[in-house]
Amino acid sequence: MLIPLHILISKYNITFSGILHVGAHECEELVEYEKYISRQCILWIEAMSDKVELCKKRYPEILIEQAIVSDSEEIVTFHVSNNGQSSSILEFGTHKEAHPWVHYIASYTETSKLLKNVIASYNIPFNFINLDIQGAELKALKGLHPDYFDKIQYIYTEVNSKHVYENCALITELDDYLRTFGFIRVETCMTEHHWGDAFYIKQSLLTRYLV
């Protein structure tokens, strides 16, 4: 996370009832999350099955689902990168010029899932979502039932100001979509390579948290 979690918690007086982390990789954030919430109130979603198995072995009783999430249920091609973290359902855009040492080494096809269906069997009151799925963050959010945004208070997500991945959503598109559900972007940290992280908060709560 480019924007440290402890800074957001302090600045916005955040309390967690449940965390939904989309793009688990190796659950690197778990140690930080568990300072504030039990791992039984955290659900991780990861596309790569080998990473899912690694996390299950490394962290007992972790809640994790293997799924490629998108805005529709269809057969998609998932590209695996040599560094793991750049793997995506999208082809590289400016990423290949900014990080020429990173490349895809394999790919496979799988039916994508809607986020609302992946989380349906979990009785966790998620109020914080963290998304890190290499340009497909808006697709994942569109796979949530619109009513679910009434329960969410905070959204932390990777963002792009250029097409780092082909046809990825730009930060302005995320702004527009989330604004329809009452969210406003309050923090942004961009790298020189036109990708970064952003933090959104439910606007109706913002005044209270800044007092």
Side-chain angles (χ1 to χ4, degrees):
M1 296 175 70
L2 297 179
I3 311 170
L5 184 63
H6 72 274
I7 290 178
L8 295 176
I9 289 171
S10 176
K11 185 173 181 179
Y12 297 100
N13 194 26
I14 296 172
T15 57
F16 299 102
S17 58
I19 296 175
L20 175 61
H21 191 114
V22 185
H25 192 243
E26 296 182 3
C27 297
E28 291 89 341
E29 296 83 0
L30 180 60
V31 172
E32 187 68 15
Y33 286 160
E34 285 198 304
K35 294 177 183 177
Y36 309 100
I37 190 171
S38 163
R39 70 177 57 180
Q40 294 302 306
C41 294
I42 307 167
L43 175 62
W44 305 82
I45 299 174
E46 170 55 40
M48 295 186 285
S49 58
D50 60 328
K51 295 299 183 184
V52 172
E53 292 308 311
L54 173 67
C55 293
K56 286 180 177 179
K57 292 177 181 178
R58 184 175 292 173
Y59 305 111
E61 300 181 353
I62 196 171
L63 302 178
I64 188 167
E65 291 281 342
Q66 189 277 319
I68 298 172
V69 292
S70 189
D71 55 355
S72 61
E73 295 179 326
E74 59 182 352
I75 296 175
V76 297
T77 299
F78 188 85
H79 310 283
V80 181
S81 65
N82 61 326
N83 70 344
Q85 292 175 308
S86 298
S87 304
S88 177
I89 61 173
L90 305 176
E91 296 282 356
F92 285 146
T94 62
H95 192 294
K96 56 191 173 187
E97 285 79 39
H99 310 286
W101 55 90
V102 179
H103 54 275
Y104 289 145
I105 57 174
S107 64
Y108 60 91
T109 58
E110 186 174 305
T111 301
S112 58
K113 298 179 181 179
L114 299 176
L115 200 51
K116 65 180 181 181
N117 294 334
V118 178
I119 68 176
S121 61
Y122 291 88
N123 188 27
I124 300 174
F126 301 113
N127 70 328
F128 185 102
I129 297 181
N130 190 338
L131 301 109
D132 186 4
I133 48 175
Q134 287 63 57
E137 290 80 11
L138 181 56
K139 287 180 175 290
L141 288 169
K142 288 183 175 180
L144 273 177
H145 193 284
D147 291 346
Y148 206 88
F149 287 96
D150 292 337
K151 305 173 185 178
I152 301 165
Q153 296 174 311
Y154 318 99
I155 298 174
Y156 186 105
T157 180
E158 186 171 282
V159 292
N160 300 278
S161 58
K162 288 191 176 181
H163 290 104
V164 177
Y165 291 82
E166 289 185 6
N167 301 314
C168 70
L170 300 181
I171 188 170
T172 51
E173 296 176 79
L174 273 164
D175 288 347
D176 291 343
Y177 184 75
L178 291 175
R179 191 179 299 115
T180 65
F181 299 103
F183 287 88
I184 184 170
R185 174 160 51 96
V186 293
E187 302 284 346
T188 313
C189 181
M190 300 299 295
T191 70
E192 61 182 314
H193 302 302
H194 308 289
W195 62 268
D197 288 349
F199 181 62
Y200 297 81
I201 192 169
K202 188 67 71 67
Q203 190 167 10
S204 61
L205 303 176
L206 187 58
T207 302
R208 184 179 68 180
Y209 290 139
L210 290 177
V211 171

